[in-house]
Amino acid sequence: MATADVSTMAIAGLHRPPTSHDFAMSLAVLPHPEEQPEISDGTLNALGELFVRHSAHNIFGIHLLHSHFAAPEGTVLFGVQFQVSGASQACWTKPVPAAELATESIHGHVFRLQSDGTFVPYEFHEGEASSEAAHTGPAFFRELAEFLHCSNLAGLIALQLLDGPRDKTNMELLAGPQSTVMMDEKDLIGFSPPRITTGWSFTVGDDGIICCKGNDVYSAKKNTQQVFQDSKPLPTVEALKEALRAEGVIA
């Protein structure tokens, strides 16, 4: 497996407009969260050691490779931040025509390992990535790619840029026919287990022990698998918030 361009591709995806390759990534059929197997404790421990060894644990985490819908041709998945209540932030992700993002400030957020050893973004967020992410050494991406390849995990685990604080649990919901919302579970009402963890980060305690935390989860609302799934696409953040309130998702 070629790995020479691993770091180049991963870093380039942090600071560039979407390309035609990203269209293919967004259109690629990925398993739903329920269809993916659990990531074992042994794998999480090994990844934690790898991330900490390269001092990448404060910058990147891992992501359960999955999707809830296929993005239309010519679009990429793009997430924007919005305020829910007080200082609490949420992220609304939906397919956006790539042409609309060509001049915007965006960065890659979730990266999928390709067969040639490169990490390619298939989800973007608004704004610029941290300078620490852009300066992560190539050895980290190379070793991570080799680990995922040799462990047959490239179809299960993606690389995720850590945007925002890690002292909370974010819950992902389907919102409308082709969008998702990720928000602090403390801002949500009417939700119950089971939950599927979809994002993890790693920390090092004062005793030197590496810990793994499930920061992102996917959960059904009131024993269903979607939130107003059959509605028309929501045009604005305000329309989204109104719909969430109407469905009893937020207060």
Side-chain angles (χ1 to χ4, degrees):
M1 179 182 68
T3 58
D5 295 329
V6 168
S7 62
T8 302
M9 286 300 297
I11 293 173
L14 295 174
H15 300 289
R16 65 163 171 79
T19 68
S20 58
H21 196 116
D22 302 320
F23 299 159
M25 289 302 301
S26 294
L27 289 167
V29 178
L30 299 177
H32 287 263
E34 299 90 344
E35 298 171 345
Q36 287 283 44
E38 290 187 9
I39 299 176
S40 70
D41 290 341
T43 294
L44 292 173
N45 291 336
L47 286 168
E49 293 176 359
L50 191 159
F51 277 61
V52 171
R53 184 164 59 251
H54 291 280
S55 300
H57 58 290
N58 290 322
I59 306 168
F60 293 99
I62 62 169
H63 180 83
L64 180 71
L65 193 64
H66 73 279
S67 68
H68 301 281
F69 52 83
E73 186 174 357
T75 67
V76 291
L77 294 177
F78 180 60
V80 296
Q81 300 289 323
F82 68 95
Q83 194 169 3
V84 179
S85 61
S88 183
Q89 294 286 315
C91 184
W92 184 23
T93 301
K94 61 180 180 176
V96 175
E100 295 182 8
L101 303 176
T103 60
E104 298 295 325
S105 175
I106 67 173
H107 64 272
H109 176 64
V110 182
F111 302 81
R112 184 181 185 182
L113 179 63
Q114 302 297 283
S115 59
D116 64 355
T118 62
F119 285 97
V120 176
Y122 72 92
E123 182 177 321
F124 292 82
H125 278 186
E126 63 179 342
E128 294 186 359
S130 67
S131 58
E132 291 85 358
H135 290 93
T136 303
F140 165 68
F141 300 106
R142 185 178 300 112
E143 185 174 347
L144 177 60
E146 291 173 351
F147 176 84
L148 296 179
H149 173 72
C150 294
S151 303
N152 295 317
L153 293 171
L156 180 64
I157 295 173
L159 180 66
Q160 179 172 313
L161 184 66
L162 298 176
D163 292 344
R166 288 182 284 164
D167 58 351
K168 63 178 182 177
T169 298
N170 294 308
M171 190 175 292
E172 181 184 31
L173 308 172
L174 283 170
Q178 285 193 324
S179 74
T180 62
V181 177
M182 183 77 79
M183 63 178 67
D184 191 332
E185 65 175 354
K186 295 178 181 178
D187 292 320
L188 296 164
I189 56 178
F191 287 80
S192 61
R195 301 177 179 183
I196 300 172
T197 303
T198 59
W200 296 259
S201 63
F202 306 102
T203 59
V204 182
D206 295 336
D207 53 5
I209 296 177
I210 300 172
C211 297
C212 177
K213 182 181 187 302
N215 297 93
D216 301 334
V217 298
Y218 169 68
S219 179
K221 178 181 185 295
K222 299 176 181 177
N223 299 318
T224 66
Q225 294 300 318
Q226 60 266 331
V227 177
F228 42 91
Q229 175 74 3
D230 297 327
S231 68
K232 295 180 180 179
L234 298 163
T236 65
V237 167
E238 288 306 315
L240 170 66
K241 291 168 69 173
E242 289 179 8
L244 290 171
R245 292 190 187 99
E247 287 289 325
V249 177
I250 60 175

